[in-house]
Amino acid sequence: MKTKTPYYALLLLFLGIGLTAQAQHQVSGTIQDTEGALLEGATVLVAGTTQGMYSSEGGAFSITIPSPNDTLVVSFYGYLTQRVAVNGQRDLRVVLEFSDNTVDEIVVVGYGVQRKSDVTGAVTSINAEELARVPNASVAQILQGKAAGVQITPSSGAPGAGAIIRIRGVGTLNDASPLFVVDGMLLDDISFLNPNDIGSIEILKDASATAIYGSRGANGVIIISTKNGNTVGKGTITFNGYEGFQEVIRQIDITNANEYAVLSNELAANENRPPVFADPGIFGEGTNWQDVIFEVAPIRNYQVAFAGGSEASTYRMSGDYFRQDGIVRGGSYDRFTLRANNEYKVTSFLTAGHNLSLIYSRRVNEAGVLGNAYRTDPTIAPFDSLGNFSNTTINSPSANPEAQIFYNNNSSFAYRAVGNAYADIRFLKHFVLRTNLGVDAEVGFFKDFVPVFVVSPIQQNLENRLNAGMNRSQNLLWENTLTYSQEWEKHRVNVLGGVTAQTFDFENLGGSRINFPAETSEFFYLSAGEIEGQTNYNGSFAWSMFSMLGRVNYSYDNRFLATASFRRDGSSRFGVNNRFGNFPSFALGWNVAEEAFMESVKGINRLKLRASWGQIGNDKIGAYAGRPVVTGNLNAVFGPDEALNTGASIITLANPDIRWEETSQTDIGVEIGLFNDRFTAEFDYYRRVTNDILVDVPIPAYVGAANNPVINAAEVLNRGFDLSLGWRDQQGDFGYAVRAIASTVHNEVLALGEGKEEIFGGGLGVGGLLGTRTVPGLPIGAFYGYKVVGVFQTQEEIDAAPNRGIERPGDLQFEDTNSDGVITTADRTYLGSPVPSLIYSGDIELTWKGLGLFVSLYGQEGNKIINAKKMARFGTPNFESSYLDRWNGPGTSTTEPRITNGGHNYEMSERFLEDGGFARIRSVLLSFDLPQSLLTRLNMGQIQLYVSGTNLYTWQTFSGYTPEVGSGSVIAVGIDQGVYPLSKIYTGGVNLRF
């Protein structure tokens, strides 16, 4: 894209304006409550501007203000807001009184901050302290249940695994993940973050809030600000650490050795084979292979942070170590993080700083034994009488899980640097020019060595081999914004304009060799193996984006609010015909409680109505959808000598006319505060329609392209309600808070383009069967198969009913949905949705003097899950206990068919659909803070001891490990083929501040 000339010209213009900057005034101080407790995370705002910050460890703050006569607005959740006149002072001590009034709380929005009372969009702020209550490497998983309208599904229970986040449903058939903004750096992954480094989190949900990020905000935005240093008094040292252990939440109920033998003999009889076991009664319980692979695993985290500074600079540096072993033996995850957040007051008008994280992570991947532990014959022990690994394939082609774990040597490690450097120039009192340069660079390596071994005919490796490779990625961001803020009489205005450019590139390289001279780590390098038969690969992709943005926020008399924003994005993913997209938004708000007629209304101290509309785009379609893709290494034999010729060919056709996906979203919201904000409520209705969704469409095979081209060909609707309720009070030494949130979502495909009347997906891993069908009128990834009427009891019933012609007594009876008298594939129909219709959570917090108790609940309802692992049967693998209720003669069962392996009873049908609803005790934490009087004698700022439990109990009807079954593909959600289970976590820890 030819965008550099105007971009640099505008930047130089901004820098030129900065030369007229004038003197500023530095103010530092501490924030505490009436009992002397220092308040970390309080907001400090310069009155009449959007310039603000959060207090750091020890309640310290330091802020540069335009004039020594300005006023600071200081607020903290649960306390009365203070307006403090600076009057030329440089050192302030602010004391806040309990109130729970949150009107002037500061929230972070795109490219700035706003008073909560001025916010016109749907924005949820999350208390960073809550994140430390759930021990996990993934901040994304910890966010579960913290915001209405946000569904968070763990991608796995494996060590270090992340989460799949959906904000207000799924509005695309492509990547539906939100954008993360960490200290101004735009990211798709926050696995490097440590919860103890986070100062605040805001989730932007509607188009009014997210449109300033344009296409990057199409699926919602999560803004994370990390903690900074302070200039007040001496520096602080904090230590946060915990130790704990994990265990599997539940096991799948499968048959023991005796039950397996009985069912295996019955299966043989149904297939006219002789019995497999002469006397099933001799086996007893046998081997529970789940007990073999699961273990009680440790988890730990330690962090040390240093914060402080002077009037010239501030700093906060931290080092963190996290270690989590897997509850499935053999897996682990280690992460080391160094963070440095520094800010420098270069001159009276120029402030510069950086936020930098350096991360090293190492992962030992478990051996993929879950499927075999579920299927392996329980009549066989892990080892034979000679101490060798047992052959477990006598009755079922399932590998010995114990041997899998022993021979596994699959690990990876990565180095990552994430951060940004920025400079703020303040001039003419009301202007701030910011330039921000961000980077996210990572290089990763993996090795998988397989030794020589023989356990069974299907579990052996006769030539050792090594697969090794690396990948690197680089994400660069440069943003320049100019902000004007002014307040006079009853008017308050903030104007933002800017330009931003971002580039991303990725490359991988790898290969394999066999026959290494020894099987020790010294030889785990490709050069040590045989040259003959070696393989290699190398690939890359890149994309870039250029954007212009602007926003105006206006407030009149604290009553009437208006916001308008516009962003123009240009993406290299599209062809030259439609490279740019325009994304506007508008929002209005009315603080009804500020009206004169509300003065006589008792009890209502906050009542705000707001409404917004906006359009945002999406370009997450792959890097080269708008241009032809050519690949090499396509070899062919031709010519008179029939020689092998190498060449290249187009494998994906270009479509230069594809354009941006566009999402239009309307939001109507109400915010209420009663009894001095002891009771709070927020209610939102949203309607979100995505047009021109990008999908690939089929083309004739004779065209010669391997992949289908991408066109704009779909439309999807999401609508629903978000509700948040809270009650908070303090009576002397006793305080309590209760919060409940609930969200609904209706997801529906409105249209698919020509050539795509339906989209099948959701591979079930069985004979090519697919479990989902996306069509207009139904949710994305709707489950598709046969409805089950019951179980045929006799041949007469079969003859009298529509059938496929292959059924026998004891087989499932499918519904003749089209009433044509026979059962065919045309009778498959909609069976249910993987999208929950209701997501809810609740928190209870109790405090008394130094004691604190926090309990969190989470759940969802209305979705279904495919138990796909139950469908895959080859040989005679183990059975789920539900098979014990099978049909075994007329009248014995009307739900579970006779014992078979494959065939009619294993078609995709309601038999394998289960309820995905659940409720869970998400976390419980009991803490004790030593009293301030003792801390003073010890010269300490804080000593807190705590114990906690996570995922303590789950109410579910789903027979699998967990009903939270996600997928990176939106058309393959809710299909359980053996998801890694979640774990219960028990920890004990300490938080210290010196």
Side-chain angles (χ1 to χ4, degrees), residues 568-632:
R568 179 172 171 82
D569 280 335
S571 173
S572 66
R573 288 180 164 119
F574 297 99
V576 293
N577 297 350
N578 292 293
R579 182 150 288 171
F580 281 87
N582 301 314
F583 309 109
S585 76
F586 309 93
L588 297 173
W590 179 22
N591 279 319
V592 183
E594 298 294 324
E595 296 288 351
F597 62 78
M598 291 294 293
E599 293 180 1
S600 61
V601 180
K602 303 299 182 182
I604 300 179
N605 59 282
R606 180 157 61 99
L607 175 59
K608 181 167 72 173
L609 307 179
R610 49 180 169 76
S612 67
W613 173 89
Q615 283 187 334
I616 41 184
N618 188 15
D619 70 338
K620 295 182 179 180
I621 53 171
Y624 305 119
R627 68 187 77 171
V629 177
V630 179
T631 186

Side-chain angles (χ1 to χ4, degrees), residues 707-968:
N707 302 317
N708 296 328
V710 174
I711 68 170
N712 297 93
E715 184 177 349
V716 171
L717 164 70
N718 288 277
R719 67 169 184 264
F721 299 94
D722 294 342
L723 176 65
S724 299
L725 302 173
W727 176 270
R728 185 182 185 93
D729 200 3
Q730 183 82 30
Q731 300 293 333
D733 292 330
F734 177 70
Y736 65 97
V738 180
R739 185 189 67 162
I741 67 174
S743 310
T744 69
V745 61
H746 169 81
N747 178 267
E748 180 182 348
V749 178
L750 299 180
L752 292 177
E754 183 178 353
K756 273 288 186 185
E757 287 78 13
E758 56 188 3
I759 299 175
F760 290 96
L764 302 176
V766 185
L769 290 179
L770 299 175
T772 73
R773 178 174 176 253
T774 300
V775 294
L778 294 177
I780 293 175
F783 296 136
Y784 180 67
Y786 295 101
K787 284 186 173 293
V788 175
V789 176
V791 174
F792 285 119
Q793 302 296 316
T794 65
Q795 185 62 45
E796 289 73 21
E797 285 188 6
I798 298 174
D799 296 338
N803 61 74
R804 302 174 67 195
I806 59 174
E807 296 91 337
R808 291 173 49 187
D811 286 342
L812 294 176
Q813 180 182 355
F814 296 149
E815 182 177 326
D816 181 15
T817 57
N818 62 6
S819 302
D820 64 357
V822 294
I823 302 297
T824 66
T825 55
D827 290 303
R828 293 178 297 173
T829 187
Y830 171 64
L831 299 180
S833 172
V835 181
S837 56
L838 174 65
I839 302 171
Y840 59 90
S841 66
D843 299 335
I844 300 173
E845 184 175 6
L846 306 174
T847 59
W848 182 72
K849 294 186 176 180
L851 288 172
L853 175 65
F854 178 86
V855 180
S856 176
L857 308 174
Y858 178 79
Q860 64 185 40
E861 294 294 335
N863 62 304
K864 299 291 185 180
I865 298 174
I866 299 178
N867 188 352
K869 61 186 180 299
K870 188 176 178 180
M871 300 176 67
R873 295 195 64 81
F874 308 98
T876 308
N878 202 358
F879 304 88
E880 289 197 17
S881 292
S882 59
Y883 282 83
L884 296 173
D885 299 323
R886 78 285 184 194
W887 184 93
N888 192 27
T892 54
S893 177
T894 59
T895 56
E896 189 70 27
R898 66 192 178 98
I899 300 296
T900 59
N901 273 347
H904 171 85
N905 295 327
Y906 290 88
E907 295 285 351
M908 174 55 198
S909 72
E910 285 183 312
R911 177 191 180 193
F912 302 105
L913 243 65
E914 300 186 36
D915 184 6
F918 70 93
R920 174 176 295 140
I921 300 177
R922 179 73 172 114
S923 63
V924 176
L925 182 139
L926 178 64
S927 65
F928 175 68
D929 286 84
L930 269 67
Q932 189 65 43
S933 57
L934 179 58
L935 294 176
T936 301
R937 291 199 297 269
L938 296 174
N939 197 28
M940 295 280 292
Q942 180 190 36
I943 300 178
Q944 182 187 70
L945 307 174
Y946 67 88
V947 292
S948 73
T950 304
N951 300 329
L952 294 181
Y953 190 81
T954 303
W955 292 268
Q956 67 181 73
T957 58
F958 178 55
S959 62
Y961 290 119
T962 172
E964 295 182 276
V965 182
S967 171

Side-chain angles (χ1 to χ4, degrees), residues 205-460:
K205 297 183 288 188
D206 71 334
S208 170
T210 63
I212 195 67
Y213 289 105
S215 64
R216 303 302 306 275
N219 302 306
V221 180
I222 298 177
I223 301 178
I224 299 175
S225 302
T226 58
K227 296 176 181 178
N228 293 305
N230 64 82
T231 64
V232 182
K234 65 178 183 179
T236 60
I237 303 174
T238 58
F239 171 81
N240 304 288
Y242 63 76
E243 289 269 357
F245 63 93
Q246 314 157 87
E247 60 184 19
V248 65
I249 288 183
R250 69 196 302 266
Q251 292 191 12
I252 297 174
D253 194 5
I254 53 180
T255 60
N256 61 28
N258 172 256
E259 294 164 339
Y260 171 80
V262 170
L263 295 181
S264 296
N265 283 351
E266 191 172 311
L267 172 63
N270 290 338
E271 295 178 347
N272 297 317
R273 294 186 288 110
V276 178
F277 299 98
D279 183 8
I282 66 173
F283 292 108
E285 290 294 322
T287 302
N288 183 338
W289 288 100
Q290 294 176 98
D291 288 341
V292 171
I293 67 167
F294 289 131
E295 66 177 358
V296 175
I299 183 173
R300 59 180 58 92
N301 184 229
Y302 309 107
Q303 186 195 60
V304 177
F306 308 88
S310 65
E311 290 191 4
S313 64
T314 64
Y315 65 88
R316 184 181 186 275
M317 295 179 290
S318 65
D320 179 80
Y321 170 63
F322 177 87
R323 165 79 182 200
Q324 182 180 18
D325 286 7
I327 55 174
V328 176
R329 289 167 47 211
S332 64
Y333 176 74
D334 293 86
R335 185 184 65 202
F336 298 87
T337 304
L338 293 176
R339 170 171 284 276
N341 289 1
N342 295 55
E343 187 168 86
Y344 312 94
K345 188 172 178 57
V346 183
T347 69
S348 61
F349 60 84
L350 174 62
T351 301
H354 61 76
N355 305 284
L356 177 64
S357 286
L358 301 176
I359 307 99
Y360 168 80
S361 60
R362 183 175 185 272
R363 189 186 305 273
V364 177
N365 300 307
E366 60 96 8
V369 298
L370 280 165
N372 284 324
Y374 171 82
R375 296 183 174 89
T376 300
D377 185 344
T379 66
I380 300 175
F383 300 95
D384 62 21
S385 59
L386 299 177
N388 300 315
F389 292 115
S390 298
N391 176 4
T392 57
T393 65
I394 298 172
N395 298 304
S396 171
S398 299
N400 186 324
E402 185 70 46
Q404 278 185 277
I405 293 172
F406 181 81
Y407 291 117
N408 178 57
N409 197 333
N410 185 335
S411 63
S412 61
F413 63 95
Y415 301 95
R416 186 176 180 184
V418 184
N420 68 310
Y422 60 90
D424 290 340
I425 300 175
R426 306 177 188 279
F427 59 97
L428 298 179
K429 188 175 181 178
H430 302 293
F431 290 89
V432 178
L433 170 66
R434 164 167 283 214
T435 183
N436 177 62
L437 179 64
V439 63
D440 178 12
E442 183 174 20
V443 57
F445 305 86
F446 76 88
K447 287 186 178 182
D448 180 14
F449 183 82
V450 184
V452 174
F453 66 87
V454 176
V455 177
S456 67
I458 69 164
Q459 190 177 7
Q460 60 177 304

Side-chain angles (χ1 to χ4, degrees), residues 16 364 391 549 666 693:
V364 177
N391 176 4
L549 58 96
T666 301
I693 291 179

